[in-house]
Amino acid sequence: MSSTESAGRTADKSPRQQVDRLLVGLRWRRLEEPLGFIKVLQWLFAIFAFGSCGSYSGETGAMVRCNNEAKDVSSIIVAFGYPFRLHRIQYEMPLCDEESSSKTMHLMGDFSAPAEFFVTLGIFSFFYTMAALVIYLRFHNLYTENKRFPLVDFCVTVSFTFFWLVAAAAWGKGLTDVKGATRPSSLTAAMSVCHGEEAVCSAGATPSMGLANISVLFGFINFFLWAGNCWFVFKETPWHGQGQGQGQDQDQGQGPSQESAAEQGAVEKQVHHV
C-alpha cells in the first residue's frame, strides 16, 4: 500500500512540478522591454476587439397606429446582433384591415462578412500573441539564437498589421450600413402599412450602438499596435544586423583611406620643403 500511495503522490506532484518549473523559468522582466510590453497590449486589445464585436446585441422598433378603431396601437420590437445577418431576422408587421392581423417581414441586409472577419482576426491575434509571449518569456534563447523565429515573427507581424487595417476599415463601413438598416425610420420605410392613409407610424426603440462603435476603435488601436511593433521585431532579425554591419564596414573603409590620404599629403609637403 505504501508503494502505491507514494507512486500516486509522485504522479500528482509531477504535473505541479512541471507547472512550477515553467512559471519559474519565465523572465517577467522582459515585459518591461518594448517588444514584450507591446505584445501584452496586443493580447489585451485583441480580446477587447473580438469581445466587443462578438457580444453585441441591440433592439430597434416602431409604433403602428391604425385609423380603424377596432385595432389598438401595435408596438414592433426587433432584436438583432452578431453576426448581423439581418435578412434572417423576422418581425411581424401589423395590418389594419379586418381580414388579416399581421404579415411576416425581414430586416434588410447581410453584414456578416466584415463582422466575422473582424472577430476571427481578433481570435487569431489572441492565440498568436499568447504563443509569442510564451516563447519570448520562457524560451528567449531560442528567439535570439535561432534567426528563423525573429524572421517568422516579423513576417507574421507585418501580415497582422495589414489585416487589422483591412478588418477595421471593413467593419467600420459594415457598421455604418448596420446602423442605416436598423434605424427606426428604415423599419417604417420598409413596411407597406406605413405608406397608406390607413395607419400612422412612428419611431420606436432606437438601437444603442456604443459597444459596436468601441469595437471599431479597438480595431484601429490593434492596427497601430501591430504597426508600431514591426520596428521592434525588425530589430531582432538578421536584416537589421546586416544593415548595421555594412554601415560599420563602410566607416572602417573610409577611416583608413582618409588617414592614408593625410599621410600622403604630409609626405608630399616634406618632399617640397626638401
Side-chain angles (χ1 to χ4, degrees):
M1 295 294 291
S2 61
S3 61
T4 56
E5 290 178 357
S6 60
R9 291 177 180 175
T10 54
D12 294 336
K13 290 181 180 180
S14 57
R16 296 178 183 176
Q17 292 177 355
Q18 292 177 359
V19 173
D20 293 339
R21 290 176 182 176
L22 180 63
L23 294 177
V24 170
L26 294 175
R27 300 181 180 180
W28 299 105
R29 291 185 178 179
R30 298 196 183 278
L31 296 179
E32 299 176 359
E33 300 175 0
L35 188 61
F37 180 69
I38 293 179
K39 286 186 181 299
V40 173
L41 293 180
Q42 291 172 342
W43 182 72
L44 289 175
F45 278 95
I47 298 175
F48 296 155
F50 73 78
S52 58
C53 180
S55 63
Y56 175 80
S57 62
E59 290 183 350
T60 184
M63 304 288 291
V64 178
R65 182 174 183 176
C66 296
N67 294 329
N68 187 1
E69 297 179 356
K71 299 221 175 182
D72 297 331
V73 177
S74 299
S75 177
I76 303 173
I77 298 177
V78 186
F80 65 95
Y82 178 84
F84 303 100
R85 293 187 178 94
L86 302 182
H87 66 288
R88 296 184 180 180
I89 299 176
Q90 299 180 356
Y91 65 93
E92 297 295 328
M93 180 187 69
L95 298 176
C96 294
D97 53 359
E98 298 179 355
E99 297 179 357
S100 57
S101 59
S102 63
K103 179 182 177 181
T104 302
M105 300 285 291
H106 295 80
L107 294 177
M108 302 294 292
D110 182 9
F111 311 100
S112 60
E116 289 179 343
F117 178 68
F118 186 85
V119 172
T120 303
L121 182 62
I123 294 174
F124 276 109
S125 300
F126 166 76
F127 284 114
Y128 176 78
T129 309
M130 186 168 56
L133 277 173
V134 172
I135 295 176
Y136 188 71
L137 297 179
R138 182 65 180 83
F139 307 102
H140 187 72
N141 55 344
L142 296 177
Y143 194 87
T144 54
E145 295 175 1
N146 192 347
K147 299 301 181 181
R148 293 182 180 179
F149 283 101
L151 288 175
V152 171
D153 192 15
F154 176 72
C155 293
V156 174
T157 302
V158 172
S159 300
F160 270 109
T161 302
F162 172 74
F163 287 141
W164 270 117
L165 177 61
V166 174
W171 171 228
K173 175 62 171 60
L175 180 59
T176 302
D177 296 336
V178 170
K179 292 178 181 179
T182 58
R183 197 175 293 121
S185 59
S186 300
L187 193 64
T188 56
M191 293 188 294
S192 59
V193 69
C194 297
H195 299 294
E197 298 180 356
E198 55 186 1
V200 177
C201 300
S202 59
T206 302
S208 176
M209 309 297 290
L211 187 61
N213 292 330
I214 292 176
S215 67
V216 177
L217 177 61
F218 285 147
F220 282 105
I221 291 176
N222 275 285
F223 162 69
F224 287 116
L225 285 175
W226 286 88
N229 198 29
C230 287
W231 167 246
F232 297 104
V233 178
F234 176 74
K235 290 174 65 176
E236 302 293 331
T237 61
W239 298 333
H240 184 262
Q242 289 176 0
Q244 287 185 343
Q246 292 178 357
Q248 292 178 358
D249 293 339
Q250 291 178 358
D251 293 340
Q252 291 177 359
Q254 292 176 359
S257 63
Q258 292 177 356
E259 292 178 357
S260 61
E263 290 178 357
Q264 289 180 359
V267 171
E268 290 177 358
K269 287 181 180 180
Q270 290 180 358
V271 171
H272 287 299
H273 285 299
V274 173

